[in-house]
């Protein structure tokens, strides 16, 4: 079993829909990261969080440490949100990230 | 954008040949990482460095070696490339490895081993 599991693996949405991507992990962590990878490959860090919730524009990331679960929400989705969204965790005391396999999101206009 | 470049960006080589990929940063970050990305696996750590001449193995280090003689450069070498090393390779940097700092990623190198 992977340390980091994401769901769904693939997601197709209509423009304007509210989107949720989930990440579950099995180890104690010091931080969880959400990353975005657009077609063409570049990887960008969206959020780093260790508790609670963070918001940036239409993106919201939440984490529940007790349940070892995080969600990434996209409000009012747009075709430019189409990308792979990757969850990664840093274990307590660790200096490396462990990555989920990613969620492929396609937003249709 | 963090100043990270990778070279080459694309490479096609033959089985058995040596290959070196270069990661260069202008951020003076202490930590540098090499990952490979394959369909269905996500990003997997090959090697990382926590300072000049200080490196350690990741989860998929077999067949790879690294060197870091300067803060700004981290080299990944495939001594004798195999088809299983066909992948997209990403370099990343972070200021600190143990406090949950963000990692910033380079643009990637697409390597094909025939």
């Amino acid at each position: 079993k992977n340390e980091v599991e994401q769901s769904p693996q693939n997601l197709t949405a209509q423009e304007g829909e509210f989107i949720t991507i989930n990440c579950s992990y099995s180890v104690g962590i010091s931080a969880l990261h959400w990353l975005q990878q657009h077609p063409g490959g570049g990887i960008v860090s969206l959020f780093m969080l260790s508790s609670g919730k963070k918001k940036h524009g239409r993106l919201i990331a939440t984490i529940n440490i007790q349940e070892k679960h995080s969600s990434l929400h996209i409000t009012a989705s747009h075709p430019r949100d189409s990308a792979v969204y990757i969850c990664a965790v840093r274990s307590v005391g660790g200096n490396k990230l462990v990555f989920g396999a990613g969620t492929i999101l396609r937003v249709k206009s | 954008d963090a100043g990270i470049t990778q070279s080459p960006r694309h490479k096609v080589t033959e089985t058995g040949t040596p290959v070196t990929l270069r990661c260069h940063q202008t951020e003076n970050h202490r930590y540098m990482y090499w990952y490979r990305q394959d369909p269905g696996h996500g990003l997997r750590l090959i090697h990382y460095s926590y300072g000049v001449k200080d490196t350690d193995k990741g989860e998929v280090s077999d067949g790879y070696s690294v060197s870091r003689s300067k803060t700004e450069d981290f080299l990944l070498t495939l001594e004798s490339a195999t088809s299983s090393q066909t992948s997209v390779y990403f370099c990343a940097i972070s200021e600190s490895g143990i406090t949950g700092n963000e990692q910033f990623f380079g643009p990637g190198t697409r390597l094909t081993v025939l």
Side-chain angles (χ1 to χ4, degrees), chain B residues 19-77:
Chain B
V19 176
T20 295
L21 309 182
R22 180 183 184 232
C23 177
H24 178 77
Q25 61 144 330
T26 58
E27 305 297 320
N28 202 36
H29 283 356
R30 180 182 173 194
Y31 281 77
M32 298 185 77
Y33 308 82
W34 276 109
Y35 296 96
R36 61 179 289 173
Q37 186 179 41
D38 305 290
H41 281 99
L43 287 154
R44 292 182 291 174
L45 182 66
I46 304 171
H47 283 279
Y48 70 101
S49 169
Y50 47 96
V52 174
K53 295 192 183 344
D54 293 322
T55 64
D56 204 352
K57 295 179 180 180
E59 60 183 299
V60 290
S61 59
D62 287 348
Y64 302 94
S65 62
V66 289
S67 65
R68 191 167 177 203
S69 58
K70 303 186 285 186
T71 298
E72 56 266 36
D73 288 326
F74 192 33
L75 303 180
L76 176 71
T77 297

Side-chain angles (χ1 to χ4, degrees), chain A residues 37 45 48 90 95-96 99, chain B residues 35 37 45 97 100-102:
Chain A
Q37 184 174 25
S45 178
M48 183 181 68
R90 186 186 304 274
N95 56 12
K96 295 173 280 188
F99 295 81
Chain B
Y35 296 96
Q37 186 179 41
L45 182 66
N101 281 122
E102 278 185 279

Side-chain angles (χ1 to χ4, degrees), chain A residues 4-79:
Chain A
V4 181
E5 298 277 356
Q6 288 186 236
S7 63
Q9 288 184 312
N10 290 277
L11 179 56
T12 299
Q14 206 62 37
E15 183 174 359
E17 286 184 356
F18 180 84
I19 290 165
T20 296
I21 299 170
N22 298 298
C23 176
S24 297
Y25 52 91
S26 57
V27 297
I29 67 167
S30 60
L32 183 142
H33 299 246
W34 281 103
L35 309 163
Q36 180 191 57
Q37 184 174 25
H38 276 289
I43 299 173
V44 175
S45 178
L46 297 175
F47 295 103
M48 183 181 68
L49 65 166
S50 55
S51 65
K53 179 167 86 172
K54 287 191 175 181
K55 184 174 189 289
H56 185 259
R58 295 180 294 104
L59 300 178
I60 303 166
T62 64
I63 188 168
N64 185 316
I65 296 294
Q66 287 74 29
E67 295 187 2
K68 292 186 167 62
H69 181 269
S70 175
S71 293
L72 176 68
H73 306 285
I74 304 175
T75 61
S77 60
H78 190 277

Side-chain angles (χ1 to χ4, degrees), chain B residues 84-103:
Chain B
S84 65
Q85 293 176 311
T86 292
S87 187
V88 181
Y89 291 86
F90 286 95
C91 173
I93 65 173
S94 68
E95 221 170 332
S96 167
I98 61 173
T99 60
N101 281 122
E102 278 185 279
Q103 288 192 12

